Amino acid sequence: MAMVEVHEYEKHDFRNTVAIIGFPSFGLVSSIAASYLARELKLELVAGMTSPDFPPYCIIQNGVPMPQIRMYSGCRNLSEDGEKGIDCDEIAVITSEFIPKPEQYYDIAKAIMSWLESSGIHNVIVLDGIPMFKPDTYEIIGAGSTDLAREVMKTFEIEPFDDGMVRGLAGLLLYEGSQKGVNVISLLGSAKSEFPDPKGAAVFMDVISRMLPEINIDTEPLYLEAEDLEKKLNKKIQPASSASDGILYG
Protein backbone atom coordinates (compact mmCIF):
# COMPACT_ATOMS: atom_id res chain seq x y z
CA MET A 1 0.00 0.00 0.00
CA ALA A 2 1.11 3.57 -0.68
CA MET A 3 2.07 5.75 2.26
CA VAL A 4 -0.65 7.45 4.28
CA GLU A 5 0.08 11.18 4.24
CA VAL A 6 -0.80 13.38 7.22
CA HIS A 7 -1.66 17.02 6.52
CA GLU A 8 -1.71 19.34 9.54
CA TYR A 9 -3.72 22.53 9.09
CA GLU A 10 -3.29 24.18 12.47
CA LYS A 11 -1.62 23.54 15.80
CA HIS A 12 -3.57 22.84 18.98
CA ASP A 13 -2.62 22.44 22.61
CA PHE A 14 -3.37 18.75 23.14
CA ARG A 15 -2.57 18.61 26.86
CA ASN A 16 -5.18 16.57 28.73
CA THR A 17 -6.85 15.60 25.45
CA VAL A 18 -9.11 12.61 24.83
CA ALA A 19 -9.33 11.36 21.24
CA ILE A 20 -12.47 9.61 20.00
CA ILE A 21 -12.19 7.57 16.81
CA GLY A 22 -15.12 6.35 14.74
CA PHE A 23 -14.97 4.74 11.29
CA PRO A 24 -17.92 3.04 9.53
CA SER A 25 -18.91 -0.28 11.09
CA PHE A 26 -22.12 -2.24 11.78
CA GLY A 27 -25.05 0.13 11.27
CA LEU A 28 -22.55 2.97 10.74
CA VAL A 29 -22.95 3.62 14.49
CA SER A 30 -19.33 4.55 15.15
CA SER A 31 -19.00 7.04 12.29
CA ILE A 32 -22.45 8.53 13.03
CA ALA A 33 -21.48 9.04 16.68
CA ALA A 34 -18.07 10.54 15.88
CA SER A 35 -19.43 12.92 13.23
CA TYR A 36 -22.30 13.95 15.51
CA LEU A 37 -19.87 14.71 18.32
CA ALA A 38 -17.62 16.82 16.07
CA ARG A 39 -20.61 18.75 14.74
CA GLU A 40 -22.33 19.34 18.09
CA LEU A 41 -19.12 20.51 19.79
CA LYS A 42 -18.28 22.75 16.82
CA LEU A 43 -14.83 21.20 16.50
CA GLU A 44 -12.36 22.55 13.93
CA LEU A 45 -10.50 20.56 11.32
CA VAL A 46 -6.86 20.39 12.47
CA ALA A 47 -5.44 17.58 10.31
CA GLY A 48 -6.30 15.06 7.63
CA MET A 49 -5.01 11.87 6.06
CA THR A 50 -4.90 10.99 2.38
CA SER A 51 -3.44 8.20 0.28
CA PRO A 52 -3.49 7.25 -3.42
CA ASP A 53 -5.05 3.97 -2.27
CA PHE A 54 -8.02 5.62 -0.55
CA PRO A 55 -11.32 5.88 -2.48
CA PRO A 56 -11.23 8.84 -4.92
CA TYR A 57 -13.54 11.35 -3.27
CA CYS A 58 -13.57 14.31 -0.91
CA ILE A 59 -16.20 15.47 1.55
CA ILE A 60 -17.56 19.02 1.18
CA GLN A 61 -18.44 20.80 4.43
CA ASN A 62 -19.74 24.37 4.27
CA GLY A 63 -18.31 24.58 0.76
CA VAL A 64 -14.83 23.48 1.83
CA PRO A 65 -13.22 20.26 0.43
CA MET A 66 -12.14 17.85 3.17
CA PRO A 67 -9.76 14.83 3.15
CA GLN A 68 -11.02 11.26 3.40
CA ILE A 69 -9.84 10.86 7.02
CA ARG A 70 -10.29 13.93 9.20
CA MET A 71 -9.04 14.97 12.63
CA TYR A 72 -11.10 17.58 14.44
CA SER A 73 -10.29 19.26 17.72
CA GLY A 74 -11.65 21.85 20.09
CA CYS A 75 -12.82 22.60 23.58
CA ARG A 76 -14.73 19.82 25.29
CA ASN A 77 -16.29 21.93 28.05
CA LEU A 78 -18.61 24.29 26.22
CA SER A 79 -20.97 26.36 28.36
CA GLU A 80 -24.75 26.13 27.97
CA ASP A 81 -24.75 28.96 25.41
CA GLY A 82 -22.17 27.14 23.28
CA GLU A 83 -19.18 29.26 24.29
CA LYS A 84 -15.82 27.77 25.29
CA GLY A 85 -15.21 27.40 29.00
CA ILE A 86 -12.36 29.15 30.78
CA ASP A 87 -10.37 25.94 31.33
CA CYS A 88 -10.40 24.40 27.89
CA ASP A 89 -9.43 20.74 27.91
CA GLU A 90 -9.32 19.51 24.34
CA ILE A 91 -11.19 16.73 22.61
CA ALA A 92 -10.07 15.28 19.28
CA VAL A 93 -12.31 13.34 16.91
CA ILE A 94 -10.97 11.20 14.07
CA THR A 95 -13.50 9.96 11.56
CA SER A 96 -14.14 8.96 7.95
CA GLU A 97 -16.94 7.70 5.71
CA PHE A 98 -15.13 4.87 3.94
CA ILE A 99 -14.52 1.33 5.12
CA PRO A 100 -10.83 0.51 4.57
CA LYS A 101 -9.86 -2.66 2.74
CA PRO A 102 -8.32 -5.32 5.02
CA GLU A 103 -4.84 -4.59 3.68
CA GLN A 104 -5.24 -0.86 4.47
CA TYR A 105 -6.09 -1.13 8.17
CA TYR A 106 -2.54 -1.67 9.40
CA ASP A 107 -1.08 1.41 7.71
CA ILE A 108 -4.03 3.56 8.76
CA ALA A 109 -3.73 2.39 12.38
CA LYS A 110 0.03 3.12 12.31
CA ALA A 111 -0.55 6.60 10.87
CA ILE A 112 -3.25 7.41 13.44
CA MET A 113 -1.12 6.16 16.35
CA SER A 114 1.87 8.15 15.06
CA TRP A 115 -0.24 11.34 14.92
CA LEU A 116 -1.63 10.71 18.41
CA GLU A 117 1.85 10.22 19.83
CA SER A 118 3.33 13.26 18.06
CA SER A 119 0.40 15.33 19.36
CA GLY A 120 0.93 14.09 22.91
CA ILE A 121 -2.47 12.37 23.10
CA HIS A 122 -2.37 9.35 25.44
CA ASN A 123 -6.08 8.71 26.08
CA VAL A 124 -8.12 7.27 23.23
CA ILE A 125 -11.65 5.86 22.83
CA VAL A 126 -12.27 3.83 19.67
CA LEU A 127 -15.89 3.15 18.69
CA ASP A 128 -16.83 0.03 16.74
CA GLY A 129 -20.16 -1.55 15.88
CA ILE A 130 -20.79 -5.27 16.36
CA PRO A 131 -23.79 -7.55 15.69
CA MET A 132 -26.53 -7.70 18.31
CA PHE A 133 -26.28 -10.61 20.74
CA LYS A 134 -30.02 -10.32 21.48
CA PRO A 135 -32.68 -8.91 19.11
CA ASP A 136 -33.34 -5.19 19.64
CA THR A 137 -31.01 -5.11 22.67
CA TYR A 138 -28.27 -2.50 22.63
CA GLU A 139 -25.20 -3.43 24.65
CA ILE A 140 -21.69 -2.02 24.92
CA ILE A 141 -18.63 -3.97 25.96
CA GLY A 142 -15.05 -2.78 26.04
CA ALA A 143 -11.40 -3.77 25.94
CA GLY A 144 -8.48 -1.73 27.27
CA SER A 145 -4.89 -1.54 26.07
CA THR A 146 -3.36 -0.81 29.50
CA ASP A 147 -4.07 -1.43 33.17
CA LEU A 148 -5.19 2.20 33.48
CA ALA A 149 -7.57 1.86 30.52
CA ARG A 150 -9.09 -1.26 32.08
CA GLU A 151 -9.43 0.54 35.43
CA VAL A 152 -11.30 3.37 33.70
CA MET A 153 -13.66 0.82 32.16
CA LYS A 154 -14.30 -0.67 35.60
CA THR A 155 -14.96 2.79 37.06
CA PHE A 156 -17.67 3.46 34.49
CA GLU A 157 -19.08 -0.08 34.69
CA ILE A 158 -18.26 -0.96 31.10
CA GLU A 159 -18.51 -4.73 30.72
CA PRO A 160 -15.05 -6.08 29.85
CA PHE A 161 -14.47 -8.19 26.76
CA ASP A 162 -11.96 -10.65 28.22
CA ASP A 163 -11.65 -13.33 25.56
CA GLY A 164 -12.17 -13.16 21.82
CA MET A 165 -11.20 -11.13 18.76
CA VAL A 166 -11.44 -7.38 18.18
CA ARG A 167 -11.28 -6.76 14.46
CA GLY A 168 -10.27 -3.87 12.24
CA LEU A 169 -9.09 -0.48 13.40
CA ALA A 170 -10.39 -1.00 16.95
CA GLY A 171 -8.28 -4.14 17.35
CA LEU A 172 -5.11 -2.76 15.75
CA LEU A 173 -5.20 0.46 17.79
CA LEU A 174 -5.83 -1.59 20.92
CA TYR A 175 -2.67 -3.61 20.31
CA GLU A 176 -0.62 -0.59 19.22
CA GLY A 177 -1.69 1.17 22.41
CA SER A 178 -0.59 -1.78 24.53
CA GLN A 179 2.86 -1.69 22.93
CA LYS A 180 3.32 2.08 23.21
CA GLY A 181 1.70 2.73 26.59
CA VAL A 182 -1.21 4.66 25.09
CA ASN A 183 -4.49 4.22 27.00
CA VAL A 184 -6.86 2.92 24.33
CA ILE A 185 -10.39 1.82 25.18
CA SER A 186 -12.21 0.03 22.37
CA LEU A 187 -15.96 0.34 22.92
CA LEU A 188 -17.87 -2.32 20.99
CA GLY A 189 -21.53 -1.42 20.62
CA SER A 190 -24.23 -3.67 19.20
CA ALA A 191 -26.15 -2.34 16.23
CA LYS A 192 -28.55 -3.25 13.47
CA SER A 193 -26.60 -3.84 10.30
CA GLU A 194 -29.29 -3.66 7.62
CA PHE A 195 -29.58 0.14 7.74
CA PRO A 196 -27.90 3.14 9.44
CA ASP A 197 -28.66 2.88 13.16
CA PRO A 198 -28.79 6.31 14.87
CA LYS A 199 -30.12 4.70 18.07
CA GLY A 200 -26.95 2.62 18.36
CA ALA A 201 -24.93 5.82 17.87
CA ALA A 202 -26.94 7.53 20.62
CA VAL A 203 -26.14 4.65 23.01
CA PHE A 204 -22.44 5.25 22.28
CA MET A 205 -22.90 8.95 23.03
CA ASP A 206 -24.61 8.17 26.35
CA VAL A 207 -21.58 6.14 27.46
CA ILE A 208 -19.14 8.84 26.31
CA SER A 209 -21.14 11.45 28.22
CA ARG A 210 -20.70 9.37 31.38
CA MET A 211 -16.98 9.05 30.81
CA LEU A 212 -16.56 12.75 29.95
CA PRO A 213 -19.27 14.47 32.02
CA GLU A 214 -18.10 17.95 30.98
CA ILE A 215 -19.38 17.19 27.47
CA ASN A 216 -22.92 18.46 27.07
CA ILE A 217 -24.32 16.56 24.10
CA ASP A 218 -28.04 16.28 23.37
CA THR A 219 -28.65 12.74 22.04
CA GLU A 220 -32.41 13.21 21.68
CA PRO A 221 -32.17 14.05 17.93
CA LEU A 222 -30.48 10.67 17.33
CA TYR A 223 -33.22 8.81 19.23
CA LEU A 224 -35.91 10.75 17.35
CA GLU A 225 -34.19 9.95 14.05
CA ALA A 226 -34.20 6.26 15.02
CA GLU A 227 -37.94 6.36 15.84
CA ASP A 228 -38.70 8.08 12.55
CA LEU A 229 -36.65 5.50 10.64
CA GLU A 230 -38.48 2.62 12.36
CA LYS A 231 -41.87 4.15 11.48
CA LYS A 232 -40.88 4.50 7.83
CA LEU A 233 -39.63 0.91 7.72
CA ASN A 234 -42.83 -0.38 9.33
CA LYS A 235 -44.94 1.48 6.77
CA LYS A 236 -42.99 -0.22 3.97
CA ILE A 237 -43.30 -3.67 5.56
CA GLN A 238 -47.03 -3.63 6.40
CA PRO A 239 -48.44 -3.24 2.86
CA ALA A 240 -46.15 -6.01 1.64
CA SER A 241 -47.42 -8.31 4.43
CA SER A 242 -51.07 -7.53 3.58
CA ALA A 243 -50.56 -8.33 -0.10
CA SER A 244 -48.85 -11.59 0.78
CA ASP A 245 -51.68 -12.60 3.11
CA GLY A 246 -54.21 -11.99 0.35
CA ILE A 247 -52.37 -14.28 -2.04
CA LEU A 248 -52.06 -17.08 0.50
CA TYR A 249 -55.51 -17.00 2.01
CA GLY A 250 -57.76 -15.17 -0.49
Side-chain angles (χ1 to χ4, degrees):
M1 175 178 171
M3 287 290 292
V4 177
E5 294 184 53
V6 178
H7 309 273
E8 291 196 308
Y9 306 122
E10 60 178 84
K11 293 292 183 182
H12 266 247
D13 182 358
F14 287 109
R15 285 177 294 181
N16 198 24
T17 293
V18 175
I20 296 174
I21 301 173
F23 276 53
S25 56
F26 263 79
L28 303 180
V29 287
S30 39
S31 53
I32 291 174
S35 297
Y36 188 77
L37 185 61
R39 185 170 65 251
E40 290 297 299
L41 289 180
K42 301 178 175 62
L43 303 183
E44 298 175 4
L45 184 73
V46 294
M49 292 183 181
T50 61
S51 169
D53 288 339
F54 288 176
Y57 75 88
C58 76
I59 291 294
I60 306 295
Q61 292 181 347
N62 297 320
V64 179
M66 300 281 181
Q68 295 104 320
I69 297 176
R70 299 175 302 286
M71 292 87 128
Y72 298 94
S73 182
C75 193
R76 73 177 189 237
N77 57 337
L78 296 179
S79 61
E80 290 184 1
D81 59 3
E83 294 298 321
K84 293 182 178 181
I86 296 174
D87 296 319
C88 181
D89 291 337
E90 292 279 313
I91 186 169
V93 171
I94 304 175
T95 189
S96 181
E97 288 72 33
F98 81 93
I99 301 174
K101 298 175 182 177
E103 62 269 21
Q104 294 176 326
Y105 275 111
Y106 182 78
D107 290 314
I108 292 173
K110 280 282 191 182
I112 289 176
M113 184 58 71
S114 177
W115 183 79
L116 293 170
E117 285 191 295
S118 66
S119 301
I121 300 174
H122 301 289
N123 300 301
V124 183
I125 300 171
V126 188
L127 311 179
D128 197 22
I130 58 174
M132 284 187 166
F133 300 118
K134 303 172 187 175
D136 295 317
T137 302
Y138 290 90
E139 300 174 281
I140 288 185
I141 58 177
S145 64
T146 62
D147 290 337
L148 179 57
R150 290 185 283 272
E151 280 299 317
V152 170
M153 285 171 43
K154 190 181 298 183
T155 299
F156 293 101
E157 299 180 338
I158 297 169
E159 183 181 346
F161 181 54
D162 291 327
D163 297 287
M165 182 185 296
V166 180
R167 298 176 181 272
L169 200 60
L172 290 172
L173 289 174
L174 200 61
Y175 181 72
E176 285 289 313
S178 73
Q179 298 301 296
K180 297 178 180 294
V182 177
N183 305 310
V184 178
I185 295 176
S186 288
L187 293 181
L188 313 175
S190 53
K192 298 175 181 177
S193 62
E194 60 270 23
F195 51 81
D197 191 350
K199 187 174 182 179
V203 173
F204 265 138
M205 294 306 308
D206 289 339
V207 174
I208 291 171
S209 296
R210 288 207 324 267
M211 299 174 73
L212 303 172
E214 69 272 23
I215 288 180
N216 184 22
I217 294 291
D218 181 13
T219 57
E220 186 178 359
L222 289 173
Y223 283 107
L224 291 175
E225 186 179 342
E227 289 179 13
D228 185 52
L229 182 61
E230 287 182 8
K231 288 177 183 177
K232 289 178 180 178
L233 288 171
N234 287 334
K235 284 182 180 179
K236 288 183 178 181
I237 292 171
Q238 285 172 359
S241 299
S242 301
S244 177
D245 290 345
I247 293 172
L248 287 171
Y249 302 109

